[in-house]
Amino acid sequence: MKQIMLITDGCSNVGESPVLAAAHALQEGITVNVVGVVDYGTIGELGSREIADIAKAGGGLSRIVGTPQLAQTIQMMTRKTVVQTIQQAVNKEVKKILGDGSLDQLPPVQRSQVVTVVDELTETTPLRIALLIDASASMKPKLGAVEDAIRDLALSLEAREGKSEIAVFHYPGNNSSEDAKLDLDWTHDMSGIRTLFSKLHMRGATPTGPAIFKVLEHYRYDTLDEHRGRQLSDDHDEREGMIGGYVV
């Protein structure tokens, strides 16, 4: 299961539409959640609408919160998205059995069994979350809270039975030609998280759309690498089988 968790405090102002980028992500099986972070001000009507539109296009959730609630909100959204995705898959299977019926129409015992399966899958399904952090100038005073939230999320994921990994990106990147920069590749180990943002060069631009597309590229390349690895393994097994056949 794949997610992008976008953390921002304002509107995009450079490049492709982030709503379009989120729609592309959903088409590729990646849910996009968005957290708008405020401290003493507000995000504004345009920012609030964009945050909601990105999440809707990406099949995810959106929340606008203060920095004290950031960690709890990210954990809640991550888990809720996993549960919703699994429930949708289970409901499709139920519809195949019941036609136009719903889960509520199952007998109590069977309904209870389905709920148990959903709970088990929520804890055991492999999960990857790409955190995409807005590093525009206005986010600077909030980065400490973002770091704490990422560490807390990592700790909560460690309690899951299934494999959980995090990657961290910030945007814009370190120069004008870099839409987003990978700070931490897929990992379980969050020991280096405290130093991730210490040397960031905060800039005014907010290329949210291009940054989401950058994360999608990372997901695609990673999937290609996994496919190549499986293909090499299959080819190796096939060759071994051929050799074994000749030996016999």
Side-chain angles (χ1 to χ4, degrees):
M1 196 171 299
K2 302 172 183 177
Q3 296 184 18
I4 294 173
M5 179 70 72
L6 171 63
I7 303 175
T8 182
D9 72 342
C11 289
S12 61
N13 53 27
V14 178
E16 302 99 328
S17 161
V19 177
L20 176 64
H24 276 276
L26 185 60
Q27 287 179 349
E28 297 186 27
I30 303 169
T31 304
V32 182
N33 293 320
V34 191
V35 181
V37 188
V38 295
D39 41 24
Y40 300 107
T42 62
I43 286 179
E45 184 179 349
L46 287 177
S48 300
R49 188 183 308 136
E50 183 178 89
I51 286 169
D53 288 346
I54 293 171
K56 183 178 180 180
L61 306 171
S62 66
R63 295 288 188 276
I64 296 176
V65 299
T67 49
Q69 294 81 40
L70 183 59
Q72 182 180 357
T73 300
I74 289 176
Q75 291 178 49
M76 178 277 295
M77 293 172 72
T78 298
R79 180 175 178 80
K80 192 169 183 178
T81 302
V82 171
V83 172
Q84 285 182 351
T85 303
I86 292 170
Q87 284 178 335
Q88 288 169 3
V90 169
N91 286 338
K92 285 181 181 179
E93 294 301 315
V94 170
K95 280 191 176 182
K96 287 180 183 178
I97 299 170
L98 300 179
D100 293 330
S102 67
L103 183 61
D104 294 334
Q105 291 178 282
L106 288 173
V109 173
Q110 290 182 321
R111 190 163 62 243
S112 175
Q113 289 172 343
V114 171
V115 171
T116 300
V117 168
V118 170
D119 289 341
E120 289 177 356
L121 289 174
T122 299
E123 291 301 317
T124 59
T125 301
L127 174 62
R128 276 189 162 178
I129 304 174
L131 291 149
L132 180 58
I133 315 301
D134 179 355
S136 57
S138 59
M139 275 290 289
K140 190 170 185 177
K142 304 167 187 133
L143 283 182
V146 172
E147 289 179 352
D148 290 339
I150 295 174
R151 282 196 300 275
D152 287 349
L153 174 62
L155 289 172
S156 71
L157 293 179
E158 285 178 2
R160 295 181 75 246
E161 294 179 39
K163 182 179 180 182
S164 303
E165 294 181 302
I166 293 178
V168 182
F169 296 77
H170 77 267
Y171 74 101
N174 295 338
N175 55 67
S176 57
S177 63
E178 191 175 38
D179 295 320
K181 180 176 176 58
L182 175 64
D183 299 295
L184 189 69
D185 209 345
W186 301 116
T187 185
H188 311 275
D189 179 16
M190 302 304 289
S191 59
I193 195 70
R194 189 171 291 278
T195 61
L196 275 182
F197 305 127
S198 60
K199 298 179 181 179
L200 280 189
H201 176 60
M202 312 296 285
R203 296 197 286 123
T206 311
T208 308
I212 294 174
F213 277 119
K214 182 80 173 179
V215 177
L216 288 184
E217 286 179 17
H218 192 70
Y219 265 119
R220 289 183 197 129
Y221 289 144
D222 195 64
T223 301
L224 284 173
D225 287 342
E226 287 179 0
H227 176 73
R228 291 191 193 102
R230 284 194 298 268
Q231 187 64 49
L232 287 171
S233 177
D234 292 343
D235 291 345
H236 178 69
D237 292 342
E238 197 173 301
R239 287 195 299 273
E240 281 193 340
M242 292 171 63
I243 291 170
Y246 281 117
V247 169
V248 171

